[in-house]
Amino acid sequence: MMRKLRNVMTAGILAAVMALGAVGCQSGGASSEDTSSEKSVTLSIAAAASLEKCYTEKLIPMFEKEHSNVKIEGTYDSSGKLQTQIEQGMDADVFMSAAAEQMDNLVDGDYISEDDVVDLLENKLVLIVPAENANKDITSFETATKAETIAVGDPESVPAGQYAQEAFSSLDMWDDVNSKASFGTNVTEVLNWVAKGSAECGVVYATDAAGTDDVKVVAEASQDVLKTPVIYPVASLKNSKNKEMADEFVKFLQTDEALDVFKSYGFTVNE
């Protein structure tokens, strides 16, 4: 009798457990799916300083709107500095530089797969002067040395500075420019020096100059002066903790909607 009762009780308990399990599987499966799809992700973007405005003002809000579970944190500086920080262990998911060199260095160092690199944008190198009280003798790259002070990105780490050095070297002017130069740690710093009048002229990207009324563009570096195109490559990092979402962000940057944003800030799509 006891054995029979125990068996009945056991069967009843098993039936109850199985019923609960079935309900749990149904609700649990949906819950698990929901949790997976809504899992909070923080993407860390390391991008050239010249990209900060279009990222923070337009592109990041656009991506976050389409991916409500994603939060993007950006670090904006010279591409050389960002390369060094990544090599030293910076927790970055996506890198976008203002020159191929820094991207190539990270590919060579096995931080980025070459197959993941997209040469996305092109920019132009320009010579700027303050919008007010500008030295009227400065009208071209050839006349830049008429300034007492010239703001240039540090060629050791700032792509804009490397391009500037190439341009002035092709004009056989680099030594003269170097003797008057103040070297900025990134292109934004160079822009601000000229905007505030602490430098009589400076070399930045066209997109930087277009973002403020405090400077005026007096010349654009021609292909004869600057033979190296100003290319902006982008890629996800191999060791990204959020590789799938990082790849998704890089794909997003290649959409027509994102490219239209880049164009509105003065970039050209690299064909």
Side-chain angles (χ1 to χ4, degrees):
M1 187 75 174
M2 285 294 294
R3 184 190 300 249
K4 196 172 183 179
L5 180 61
R6 189 164 47 239
N7 289 342
V8 170
M9 290 177 63
T10 301
I13 291 170
L14 281 172
V17 169
M18 289 175 67
L20 287 171
V23 173
C25 284
Q26 291 175 356
S27 62
S31 174
S32 173
E33 184 178 342
D34 292 344
T35 301
S36 173
S37 64
E38 295 177 2
K39 180 181 176 183
S40 179
V41 174
T42 299
L43 275 185
S44 297
I45 311 298
S50 50
L51 292 162
E52 183 171 4
K53 281 191 175 182
C54 59
Y55 265 49
T56 58
E57 294 175 354
K58 297 286 186 179
L59 294 170
I60 289 176
M62 286 169 60
F63 189 80
E64 289 179 341
K65 184 178 180 181
E66 294 298 320
H67 302 78
S68 58
N69 61 317
V70 178
K71 175 68 177 176
I72 297 180
E73 297 178 350
T75 299
Y76 309 96
D77 211 326
S78 71
S79 301
K81 275 189 178 180
L82 294 174
Q83 174 200 323
T84 299
Q85 290 173 7
I86 290 171
E87 291 169 340
Q88 293 175 347
M90 178 186 186
D91 187 16
D93 298 297
V94 174
F95 176 54
M96 188 165 183
S97 64
E101 178 182 343
Q102 289 73 29
M103 184 66 76
D104 291 343
N105 290 340
L106 290 178
V107 169
D108 291 342
D110 204 32
Y111 296 92
I112 290 172
S113 171
E114 186 174 5
D115 292 339
D116 288 340
V117 178
V118 178
D119 292 332
L120 189 62
L121 305 175
E122 185 174 353
N123 211 336
K124 300 299 181 183
L125 195 72
V126 296
L127 183 71
I128 58 171
V129 296
E132 297 182 2
N133 302 318
N135 184 334
K136 294 181 180 180
D137 292 330
I138 304 170
T139 58
S140 63
F141 277 84
E142 290 84 349
T143 58
T145 51
K146 291 183 179 294
E148 292 298 320
T149 51
I150 304 171
V152 180
D154 186 350
E156 292 295 319
S157 61
V158 183
Q162 295 165 354
Y163 292 127
Q165 183 176 19
E166 179 185 336
F168 285 121
S169 294
S170 71
L171 295 169
D172 199 24
M173 293 174 58
W174 177 245
D175 288 342
D176 292 334
V177 170
N178 190 31
S179 67
K180 296 183 173 185
S182 295
F183 293 111
T185 58
N186 57 53
V187 73
T188 303
E189 189 170 36
V190 172
L191 179 72
N192 290 337
W193 284 344
V194 178
K196 294 175 181 177
S198 57
E200 286 189 63
C201 69
V203 179
V204 298
Y205 299 121
T207 52
D208 299 302
T212 176
D213 294 328
D214 295 329
V215 301
K216 180 173 66 174
V217 174
V218 293
E220 179 182 299
S222 66
Q223 290 184 346
D224 292 335
V225 172
L226 182 66
K227 298 187 184 303
T228 304
V230 183
I231 299 297
Y232 282 59
V234 62
S236 59
L237 275 80
K238 281 186 175 182
N239 293 332
S240 166
K241 296 175 183 176
N242 307 289
K243 188 72 166 67
E244 186 175 343
M245 189 57 71
D247 289 339
E248 186 70 20
F249 183 75
V250 173
K251 288 180 183 178
F252 159 74
L253 295 179
Q254 300 171 66
T255 63
D256 290 340
E257 293 79 8
L259 293 176
D260 284 343
V261 170
F262 284 123
K263 291 175 187 176
S264 71
Y265 281 82
F267 290 97
T268 301
V269 178
N270 182 47
E271 301 297 341

